[in-house]
Amino acid sequence: MKLKYQIYGSQAILITWEPRIDHDILNDILLVKDIILKNQPAAIQDCTNGYNSLLIVYKCKVTNKHLESIMHLCNLRKSNEWQEKYTTWKIPVCYHISLGMDLKEFANLKDLSTDQVIEMHSVPIYTVYCKGFLPGFMYLGGLNERLYCDRKVTPILKVPKNSVAIGGKQTGIYPMESPGGWHIIGSTPVDLFDISKKEPSKIKIGDRLKFEAISLATYIEMDSVIDKIKLIKKID
Amino acid sequence: MTDHCGYIEVIQPGLSTSIQDKGRLGYLSEGIPMAGCMDRLSADKANLLVGNTTDVALIEWSILPPKLKFLAPTHIACTGAATTIFVNATKEEHARCIYIPANTILSLKPMKHGVYGYIAIKGGVQTPKVLASRSWFSGVTNDAVFKKGMQIPYFFSHKKHELNSKITSALSNEVSILEVYKGPEYDLLTKQQQNKLMSQKFSVSQLRDRMGIQLVEIFDEHETSILSSPILPGTVQWIPAGKLIVLMRNAQTIGGYPRILQLTEKSISIIAQMQHHILFSFRVV
């Protein structure tokens, strides 16, 4: 894969891949990230990625020397040596209309029954490509094309915390209350993001997840648990 | 309460007063913005005036300053947006180390220039650290802005001593050139657009907060979007309708608009304080 290397501002380097949303690109980004963090751990302040990009923020001013050493590290990598290691998580979602306030309207808009929407949304395995927008918000790939849907014309001011929603070609979970223009189709009782933990999120970039439809009764039961981050279970 | 701990009682919260430090570093991949002081130069100066290192937390206010009661003795310094400072009924100087006896009321009267003001306290503000930073950010820290009646902890110091109180500011209020780097998508611009970007005059609009500052002048319309990619404070985003947005400390960590310029660290502080009437241009360094 051909990469583009740029100095970004005074303290960062940006590496860019071809503009595609693709598992192979994600794996290569994670490989490069792993190599760089292992090679220059003391020099790096932060490292994060987009769908086809990796940002490396240094503690000091970046020079061409840094750029060259990054290029050198990248050129040495062998993609076939990358052991894809990811966890698949099960996220319970209640699609009851009391929680998915837009579900009926969304189904009408897409000329589907609400059951069909739920099925199409909970069958696929989604990939976590990156995080952003809100602390802990995951950009997921893998939405069924039949569910692609333009965002609402007017965003609402308060999308409730833990809402599961669809916007454009994406689906996601709001980790906290926020304004938003996506169609809210359900809610998860689990906490995806807990700031009191050293690692605020269990789910890592590159991980996979699957939504599991649960009843309102199960939702209420799970909602009463105190440590809701524990409710996220692995799928073997 | 430990016996070293004093409290500031918030009598009037001001408009969007908060606690900030150098920001939350190392959590971009969790989607957590860096946050931190909008104008680092003024914040550093305030901390140095009271003998602090520049990495400790202090109070940042915007437009409308807070009114505070210090319950225990300490030293403070006010920098950034100009104010008339009253310690109880006594008028004090801006950008000087001021001794504060116990049960003192600090009131600031805003004047016309500057947007962000800083109040540094000797030893630094002692609100809890969350993910290695004290910078307040909604959804990460318990509090996002000052509210009436809040108590802000600090370590009190009885010793009344003269600190080195002369630090001249590097910033002038009438800066007309902002130093920038080319952004990752600078090359998307045609030669003509590149020339225009460097010769056109811009000014800051009323649409400004800790997340970003929209510029008034239209640059050029376009239809290019990029796949969501990391962004930094100081990145200039080019919006399809032709506007430019300068991302600030609380900016999201990922964005899909072309990043055509990147402000230098000093330019970020300058634009944070920029007045609406000032016309400026960009210059690549």
Side-chain angles (χ1 to χ4, degrees), chain A residues 6-234:
Chain A
Q6 290 169 294
I7 292 182
Y8 182 2
S10 61
Q11 279 180 247
I13 288 174
L14 182 73
I15 310 175
T16 310
W17 280 254
E18 286 168 55
R20 283 187 290 124
I21 298 177
D22 183 299
H23 276 140
D24 290 342
I25 290 177
L26 175 65
N27 285 333
D28 201 35
I29 291 173
L30 294 174
L31 169 65
V32 168
K33 184 176 177 177
D34 191 61
I35 293 172
I36 292 172
L37 288 179
K38 273 184 189 144
N39 268 274
Q40 314 181 329
I44 293 170
Q45 176 187 298
D46 212 335
C47 190
T48 188
N49 70 290
Y51 284 110
N52 66 323
S53 52
L54 182 68
L55 178 77
I56 306 126
V57 185
Y58 285 81
K59 291 175 184 164
C60 62
K61 197 169 158 49
V62 165
T63 62
N64 279 326
K65 243 176 101 183
H66 292 93
L67 200 64
E68 279 159 25
S69 89
I70 289 285
M71 287 166 76
H72 178 70
L73 284 174
C74 288
N75 289 335
L76 287 179
R77 79 193 191 283
K78 295 194 182 72
S79 305
N80 56 0
E81 278 177 15
W82 177 240
Q83 288 290 317
E84 214 186 8
K85 41 178 188 281
Y86 62 81
T87 309
T88 306
W89 305 93
K90 189 165 72 179
I91 310 276
V93 176
C94 178
Y95 296 93
H96 190 270
I97 47 164
S98 62
L99 297 163
M101 58 177 96
D102 302 322
L103 179 60
K104 270 192 172 160
E105 209 184 314
F106 180 85
N108 283 338
L109 214 60
K110 300 307 299 180
D111 205 15
L112 295 165
S113 70
T114 53
D115 282 348
Q116 284 172 312
V117 173
I118 295 167
E119 160 123 19
M120 285 176 188
H121 190 257
S122 55
V123 163
I125 290 176
Y126 298 93
T127 304
V128 182
Y129 276 89
C130 43
K131 295 184 188 178
F133 169 55
L134 290 171
F137 183 90
M138 299 177 286
Y139 286 79
L140 302 177
L143 183 67
N144 185 325
E145 284 182 27
R146 191 69 180 80
L147 299 180
Y148 288 2
C149 189
D150 286 340
R151 286 153 210 214
K152 292 181 196 172
V153 182
T154 317
I156 63 166
L157 280 177
K158 285 183 176 181
V159 176
K161 179 184 170 181
N162 287 348
S163 290
V164 176
I166 291 174
K169 297 175 181 178
Q170 299 185 75
T171 184
I173 308 159
Y174 284 79
M176 55 196 63
E177 186 183 275
S178 148
W182 290 18
H183 306 269
I184 302 160
I185 60 165
S187 177
T188 175
V190 308
D191 275 341
L192 294 153
F193 187 73
D194 183 350
I195 206 72
S196 67
K197 304 267 196 297
K198 194 164 176 253
E199 281 188 299
S201 174
K202 257 192 189 176
I203 305 173
K204 303 277 164 265
I205 292 167
D207 280 357
R208 309 293 149 96
L209 54 90
K210 194 179 175 308
F211 297 119
E212 183 196 36
I214 56 166
S215 67
L216 189 57
T218 312
Y219 176 90
I220 292 167
E221 194 184 312
M222 285 180 147
D223 196 39
S224 63
V225 174
I226 291 167
D227 190 352
K228 289 187 202 139
I229 221 160
K230 281 201 178 133
L231 293 173
I232 308 173
K233 302 274 189 226
K234 285 183 194 180

Side-chain angles (χ1 to χ4, degrees), chain B residues 100-119:
Chain B
I100 299 283
N103 298 313
T104 295
I105 295 202
L106 173 74
S107 39
L108 309 177
K109 303 273 179 293
M111 298 196 308
K112 277 259 154 82
H113 59 258
V115 178
Y116 291 94
Y118 295 88
I119 307 166

Side-chain angles (χ1 to χ4, degrees), chain B residues 160-271:
Chain B
K160 187 175 175 177
H161 56 115
E162 281 300 313
L163 288 157
N164 176 19
S165 67
K166 255 220 162 127
I167 298 169
T168 39
S169 173
L171 282 188
S172 132
N173 285 309
E174 301 286 329
V175 178
S176 59
I177 288 175
L178 281 187
E179 294 186 328
V180 295
Y181 305 99
K182 292 173 183 174
E185 279 75 47
Y186 182 80
D187 290 339
L188 278 182
L189 301 168
T190 62
K191 258 267 140 7
Q192 218 174 3
Q193 285 173 325
Q194 291 177 0
N195 290 336
K196 187 178 169 188
L197 184 63
M198 290 305 142
S199 56
Q200 190 175 337
K201 299 277 188 202
F202 293 99
S203 62
V204 300
S205 75
Q206 307 281 355
L207 293 171
R208 67 189 304 174
D209 59 15
R210 289 189 44 88
M211 281 182 79
I213 300 172
Q214 188 172 309
L215 305 185
V216 172
E217 295 74 15
I218 302 273
F219 174 54
D220 257 346
E221 290 178 22
H222 73 96
E223 287 176 351
T224 319
S225 68
I226 58 166
L227 275 180
S228 292
S229 181
I231 46 185
L232 289 167
T235 297
V236 180
Q237 285 185 320
W238 184 23
I239 308 305
K243 294 262 185 182
L244 301 182
I245 292 177
V246 181
L247 299 173
M248 297 302 283
R249 307 291 184 193
N250 280 8
Q252 288 177 200
T253 59
I254 278 189
Y257 297 123
R259 303 156 286 189
I260 54 174
L261 296 173
Q262 174 67 33
L263 270 62
T264 62
E265 190 51 50
K266 187 177 160 195
S267 294
I268 299 176
S269 290
I270 293 171
I271 203 168

